[in-house]
Amino acid sequence: MRKKIVAANWKMNLNLTEGAELVNEIFKGLPPLSEDRRVVIAPPYLHLTQTAAQLTGMIDVCLGAQNCYSEASGAYTGEISAAMLKSAEVDYVIIGHSERREYFKEDDATLAKKVNQALINELQVIFCCGEPLEIRDANTQNAYVEAQIKAGIFHLSELQLKNVVIAYEPIWAIGTGRTATSEQAQDMHAHIRSVIAAQYGAAVADDMPILYGGSCKPSNAAELFACADVDGGLIGGASLKAAEFLGIINAMVEA
Ligand code: 13P
């Protein structure tokens, strides 16, 4: 049975004190999570060891990183390797977020290398895809997202793919307050699952969690998570406030 996951992407927000407080607030309100439900918290790199210590002993709340470098080690000033993340008790790493693709010019080849580094180091990958507004307006989003997925993860074996979660984040919905409708999300998620099924078979596709991201909040999470192919969310702004994030977690628990 595939897992439902709600993942917090704090992006470049919160200092160490604020981060610790937010995690404590989330713990206070966290509902019991069954084995097929999971929460991931992806703070900035600087927070990771602190957050890892706070998460000690929790099996259903996992630690995520927002990025890793595409090479194993060496003279790459300012970068963080997947092996370092593993040593900091990180479980998941977000790769291919649209903000990385746009502001840091991360291309398909670089992202495929990052995916490899993550998997070599036994991290789970949250691989992001999603189209800009002009592609949505031209109604060519299915081909666009399919190409991102093929370039990023189709070099993986079936076994490796078990450690990959896909997050569909339409760029026009990120931080804009304009959420995809549940129908738009379901259509794309079903398309993504069919793309995976065509390459790896239906059983593998059925097992893969596909998360939605883009202005997800407590008021729309239940409707989104009720879609057959939406297995949770990757949450930006609403993950920075405990009450909002808990509202989204509760929607996942009840979905
Ligand atoms: P928002 O939830 O702020 O729209 O951000 C979504 C996102 O980019 C998560 O990775």
Side-chain angles (χ1 to χ4, degrees):
M1 192 185 188
R2 69 176 179 255
K3 281 193 162 48
K4 291 195 190 291
I5 301 172
V6 164
N9 175 9
W10 291 1
K11 307 191 180 183
M12 195 178 75
N13 292 294
L14 307 181
N15 65 28
L16 287 170
T17 308
E18 292 164 341
E21 279 170 9
L22 176 56
V23 171
N24 280 336
E25 288 301 308
I26 292 167
F27 282 176
K28 279 188 207 153
L30 196 67
L33 298 171
S34 54
E35 216 180 300
D36 57 352
R37 300 285 191 277
R38 182 163 282 181
V39 172
V40 178
I41 297 177
Y45 285 142
L46 188 66
H47 292 243
L48 288 171
T49 51
Q50 170 179 280
T51 311
Q54 289 184 282
L55 297 183
T56 303
M58 306 209 57
I59 45 169
D60 39 19
V61 184
C62 298
L63 185 61
Q66 298 173 19
N67 183 28
C68 68
Y69 196 53
S70 51
E71 301 294 334
S73 65
Y76 302 105
T77 302
E79 290 297 332
I80 300 283
S81 71
M84 292 173 194
L85 297 179
K86 187 68 188 177
S87 75
E89 296 171 55
V90 169
D91 307 295
Y92 286 84
V93 57
I94 299 170
I95 293 178
H97 194 282
S98 59
E99 289 149 18
R100 301 288 322 169
R101 293 178 191 259
E102 183 181 351
Y103 304 139
F104 303 97
K105 308 290 172 240
E106 294 187 359
D107 60 13
D108 288 336
T110 303
L111 296 176
K113 286 169 81 176
K114 290 188 176 205
V115 167
N116 292 342
Q117 284 302 320
L119 294 176
I120 287 167
N121 288 285
E122 296 176 344
L123 297 169
Q124 307 224 39
V125 171
I126 300 177
F127 185 80
C128 300
C129 56
E131 78 286 356
L133 188 59
E134 61 270 23
I135 296 290
R136 171 64 61 168
D137 285 343
N139 200 27
T140 53
Q141 66 273 8
N142 282 9
Y144 186 93
V145 167
E146 186 170 339
Q148 288 179 319
I149 290 172
K150 285 185 173 166
I153 60 173
F154 266 25
H155 61 287
L156 301 177
S157 69
E158 187 179 321
L159 202 63
Q160 288 176 308
L161 205 74
K162 288 189 190 307
N163 293 313
V164 177
V165 173
I166 291 180
Y168 168 60
E169 301 202 311
I171 296 170
W172 44 270
I174 296 177
T176 58
R178 182 182 162 189
T179 323
T181 64
S182 50
E183 194 184 0
Q184 286 172 323
Q186 169 56 26
D187 283 354
M188 179 57 83
H189 284 228
H191 174 63
I192 292 170
R193 206 176 299 286
S194 76
V195 167
I196 301 293
Q199 179 76 3
Y200 292 97
V204 173
D206 263 0
D207 264 0
M208 176 181 273
I210 306 177
L211 314 184
Y212 169 80
S215 298
C216 186
K217 30 188 189 277
S219 58
N220 58 28
E223 189 184 336
L224 286 161
F225 299 169
C227 300
D229 289 292
V230 178
D231 307 308
L234 180 56
I235 318 300
S239 75
L240 298 171
K241 298 207 173 85
E244 288 192 29
F245 192 53
L246 286 166
I248 295 171
I249 292 172
N250 282 322
M252 167 191 68
V253 166
E254 283 156 26

